[in-house]
Amino acid sequence: MSSSKRSISQCFKNEFHGTDAYTRHKKLIADYVQYYRLKQPDKTPSIYKTELDILHENHKFVREDTDNGSTWEQRVAKKYYDALFKEYAICELKHYKEGKIALRWRIEREVVSGKGQFICASTRCDSTEGLKSWEVNFGYIEDGEKKNELVKVRLCPGCSDKLNYKTKMKLAKTLKTAEKEKKMKRRKRSGKSNSDKEEESSSSRGSSSDSFDYEEEKNFVPKTEQSIWSQPLEKKEEKSKEEEYEDYFADLLQ
């Protein structure tokens, strides 16, 4: 046995002298990991998709029974779709004033708790009083195509007003426009009646003046030359200068 091997064995004896087996095991494993074990390469790819990403890409709001999926991703989405409960829907009313309402089917936990059937279906409400069922014509875009589906939703009175906010605003606008049109028609009718009355009055006035002129023509007696020359000459009264000045200033003030 060489001197180098003796020195190594002596070091091990001195280091582990008086220690139990578990302590020696931990020390040897730590030395092995630190000095001898090589680092395993990281096999995780830099770009990868989770199951949630696959569901986002391949999920459909309504699937046909014959649609089983041709790829693994579509089959995963179909399996998730089959686990949903499609009697009532859960709705998101955050942007109800813009007419944007999101709907989704219920999961098992929500069915057990009664959410969406015995509790208000809004994600921001847990009311259980005065629930009312609504059948919503849900329009959505899927795979670049506009689709529509009738969906049942149960909501409390406050959330029901939010759901129908856009339709109520449209109805109020149509009623306002109808009232304006009625007022315009009434004004036109009243204007026409007033103009007709004015025409009637003017025509009656014209007829009376015509009759008056006709009567004057009847009573008019033409003057002969002898009657004209037989009448005395009309004398014009001469005005004084003061009266002429008064008449001049009166004409200016008029």
Side-chain angles (χ1 to χ4, degrees), residues 47-141:
I47 300 173
Y48 59 92
K49 291 181 180 180
T50 62
E51 189 173 348
L52 183 62
D53 297 331
I54 293 169
L55 290 176
H56 279 307
E57 291 177 358
N58 298 275
H59 178 69
K60 292 183 179 181
F61 189 72
V62 177
R63 282 181 176 270
E64 297 180 359
D65 295 333
T66 57
D67 186 10
N68 295 320
S70 57
T71 62
W72 176 79
E73 289 84 358
Q74 292 178 358
R75 288 194 292 271
V76 170
K78 179 67 166 57
K79 185 178 180 181
Y80 174 77
Y81 176 81
D82 292 337
L84 299 173
F85 295 83
K86 306 167 191 70
E87 184 179 2
Y88 295 102
I90 303 295
C91 60
E92 174 60 60
L93 301 171
K94 183 178 179 181
H95 303 286
Y96 70 95
K97 289 186 178 180
E98 300 174 7
K100 296 179 181 179
I101 297 171
L103 295 177
R104 64 171 177 82
W105 301 120
R106 297 188 298 167
I107 58 176
E108 184 179 1
R109 183 177 68 253
E110 291 169 338
V111 175
V112 172
S113 64
K115 181 69 174 175
Q117 185 175 5
F118 304 106
I119 304 172
C120 181
S122 175
T123 56
R124 300 168 182 271
C125 180
D126 293 326
S127 178
T128 57
E129 297 180 357
L131 298 181
K132 189 175 181 180
S133 297
W134 296 93
E135 193 169 25
V136 182
N137 184 14
F138 181 52
Y140 59 98
I141 297 174

Side-chain angles (χ1 to χ4, degrees), residues 12-230:
F12 274 106
K13 287 180 180 179
N14 293 335
E15 189 173 359
F16 296 112
H17 182 70
T19 58
D20 56 348
Y22 181 65
T23 305
R24 291 196 299 272
H25 170 74
K26 289 197 295 182
K27 179 68 173 68
L28 291 172
I29 293 298
D31 292 341
Y32 170 76
V33 171
Q34 184 177 2
Y35 299 109
Y36 299 103
R37 186 181 179 184
L38 298 176
K39 291 184 179 181
Q40 295 293 330
D42 189 7
K43 295 181 180 180
T44 305
S46 58
I47 300 173
Y48 59 92
K49 291 181 180 180
T50 62
E51 189 173 348
L52 183 62
D53 297 331
I54 293 169
L55 290 176
H56 279 307
E57 291 177 358
N58 298 275
H59 178 69
K60 292 183 179 181
F61 189 72
V62 177
R63 282 181 176 270
E64 297 180 359
D65 295 333
T66 57
D67 186 10
N68 295 320
S70 57
T71 62
W72 176 79
E73 289 84 358
Q74 292 178 358
R75 288 194 292 271
V76 170
K78 179 67 166 57
K79 185 178 180 181
Y80 174 77
Y81 176 81
D82 292 337
L84 299 173
F85 295 83
K86 306 167 191 70
E87 184 179 2
Y88 295 102
I90 303 295
C91 60
E92 174 60 60
L93 301 171
K94 183 178 179 181
H95 303 286
Y96 70 95
K97 289 186 178 180
E98 300 174 7
K100 296 179 181 179
I101 297 171
L103 295 177
R104 64 171 177 82
W105 301 120
R106 297 188 298 167
I107 58 176
E108 184 179 1
R109 183 177 68 253
E110 291 169 338
V111 175
V112 172
S113 64
K115 181 69 174 175
Q117 185 175 5
F118 304 106
I119 304 172
C120 181
S122 175
T123 56
R124 300 168 182 271
C125 180
D126 293 326
S127 178
T128 57
E129 297 180 357
L131 298 181
K132 189 175 181 180
S133 297
W134 296 93
E135 193 169 25
V136 182
N137 184 14
F138 181 52
Y140 59 98
I141 297 174
E142 190 175 82
D143 296 334
E145 182 182 355
K146 182 70 182 296
K147 297 181 179 180
N148 292 82
E149 189 71 26
L150 289 175
V151 183
K152 289 183 179 180
V153 180
R154 284 181 61 79
L155 297 170
C156 65
C159 295
S160 297
D161 293 337
K162 293 180 180 179
L163 180 68
N164 299 309
Y165 176 82
K166 205 72 176 177
T167 50
K168 286 183 177 180
M169 293 295 291
K170 288 181 180 178
L171 182 61
K173 286 182 179 179
T174 52
L175 290 173
K176 284 183 179 180
T177 53
E179 288 179 358
K180 287 181 180 179
E181 288 177 357
K182 286 181 180 179
K183 288 181 180 179
M184 292 293 290
K185 288 180 180 179
R186 289 175 184 173
R187 289 177 182 175
K188 288 180 180 179
R189 288 175 184 174
S190 62
K192 286 181 180 179
S193 61
N194 292 331
S195 62
D196 293 338
K197 289 179 180 178
E198 288 177 358
E199 288 178 359
E200 288 176 359
S201 62
S202 62
S203 61
S204 62
R205 288 175 185 172
S207 62
S208 62
S209 62
D210 293 339
S211 61
F212 180 73
D213 293 339
Y214 180 70
E215 289 175 356
E216 283 186 348
E217 287 177 358
K218 278 184 178 180
N219 297 325
F220 177 73
V221 178
K223 293 181 180 180
T224 60
E225 293 180 356
Q226 293 179 359
S227 62
I228 293 170
W229 290 108
S230 63

